[in-house]
Amino acid sequence: MRLDKFLSTTLGITRKEAGKLLKNKLIEVNGEVVKNGAQKVSDDCDVQFDGRSLCFDGPRYFMLNKPSGFVCSHVDDFNPTVFILLDVVSPEKLHVAGRLDGDTTGLVLLTDDGQWSHRITSPRHVCEKIYYVETADPIAPETVEQFAQGVQLRGEKELTRPAKLEILDEKAALITISEGKYHQVKRMFAAVGNKVEALHREQIGSVELDEELAPGEYRALTPEEVASFTK
């Protein structure tokens, strides 16, 4: 992470104010005065302001507008990972709370709080996710009832949980699911003889993707958004 952004985050000040601290030689990194806000700092750096070491307090929570072509793992031999999009200290300590496929776009939540993410991903907790989907063929009206009843996925013993399907256009819909089986939405449409051409996650629980985030951009969750998964 850039030093000026680190100062802005830990001290709760603007980048401009952080620049003034640097200009006035009030910031030390590993015992040396630093004036360049573009200098990179990592988790093992000792950053001090006025003789006081600075660090992040508590766990971190982010939302990311995931672009197509990025995977939600830390290491992949063929594709870039979402973690390279983050300008944060120690991104390797973060994990995704509910992964998306490489070609699926939209809302991704990232955190270093394992208990918090467990409430989102565990089958024991009912956490609804809303996706916008485009299909290869027209969506048959009876698909709404089929999804509401649950469908049989190949390789699964039990039907999917009831899902809500709202048809928006001939080949577009919103689907709300409350579980996270592997490639679930794609497999559900395949089970009724259709194919997903595009998939975009718009919402997890009550947290909606921030419309101001362009693909690849992220922001910290608000305290209210974080708390919504603990109720």
Side-chain angles (χ1 to χ4, degrees), residues 75-222:
V75 179
D76 189 275
D77 292 334
F78 304 102
N79 302 288
T81 82
V82 295
F83 296 95
I84 68 172
L85 300 170
L86 306 177
D87 181 20
V88 299
V89 171
S90 298
E92 71 278 359
K93 294 184 178 180
L94 297 169
H95 61 270
V96 173
R99 295 185 175 190
L100 291 178
D101 302 335
D103 60 352
T104 301
T105 61
L107 177 60
V108 166
L109 300 179
L110 306 105
T111 184
D112 48 16
D113 184 343
Q115 290 186 339
W116 183 83
S117 62
H118 183 72
R119 296 186 181 96
I120 299 171
T121 60
S122 172
R124 296 178 56 187
H125 299 276
V126 178
C127 181
E128 293 188 335
K129 297 101 176 172
I130 301 177
Y131 295 81
Y132 170 78
V133 57
E134 294 180 356
T135 59
D137 301 315
I139 302 171
E142 58 266 26
T143 308
V144 174
E145 183 60 27
Q146 288 175 301
F147 282 8
Q149 295 293 329
V151 297
Q152 185 68 56
L153 303 182
R154 179 177 296 181
E156 301 284 348
K157 294 182 179 180
E158 299 180 356
L159 299 179
T160 60
R161 289 179 183 173
K164 178 184 177 182
L165 183 68
E166 179 186 352
I167 299 177
L168 303 176
D169 203 345
E170 184 182 49
K171 298 181 181 180
L174 291 177
I175 180 172
T176 303
I177 62 175
S178 59
E179 53 190 341
K181 297 181 183 294
Y182 180 71
H183 289 176
Q184 181 169 338
V185 175
K186 296 176 181 177
R187 292 167 68 199
M188 288 178 70
F189 277 94
V192 296
N194 209 333
K195 180 183 179 182
V196 171
E197 294 286 349
L199 191 61
H200 179 83
R201 187 157 64 192
E202 297 189 343
Q203 186 170 332
I204 301 175
S206 61
V207 175
E208 299 180 31
L209 178 62
D210 192 326
E211 293 181 353
E212 296 185 1
L213 292 179
E217 293 184 340
Y218 68 97
R219 69 162 172 81
L221 293 183
T222 67

Side-chain angles (χ1 to χ4, degrees), residues 2 53 57 65 108 125 170:
R2 285 175 55 108
S53 292
D57 295 323
N65 186 357
V108 166
H125 299 276
E170 184 182 49

Side-chain angles (χ1 to χ4, degrees), residues 29-74:
V29 178
N30 296 332
E32 296 185 3
V33 174
V34 176
K35 298 172 63 177
N36 183 9
Q39 177 169 322
K40 296 290 186 178
V41 293
S42 59
D43 195 45
D44 56 358
C45 290
D46 178 24
V47 182
Q48 294 196 359
F49 164 56
D50 197 25
R52 174 169 62 93
S53 292
L54 303 178
C55 62
F56 290 108
D57 295 323
R60 297 173 290 170
Y61 310 90
F62 302 100
M63 72 160 61
L64 166 74
N65 186 357
K66 178 188 169 303
S68 180
F70 286 75
V71 296
C72 290
S73 59
H74 278 283

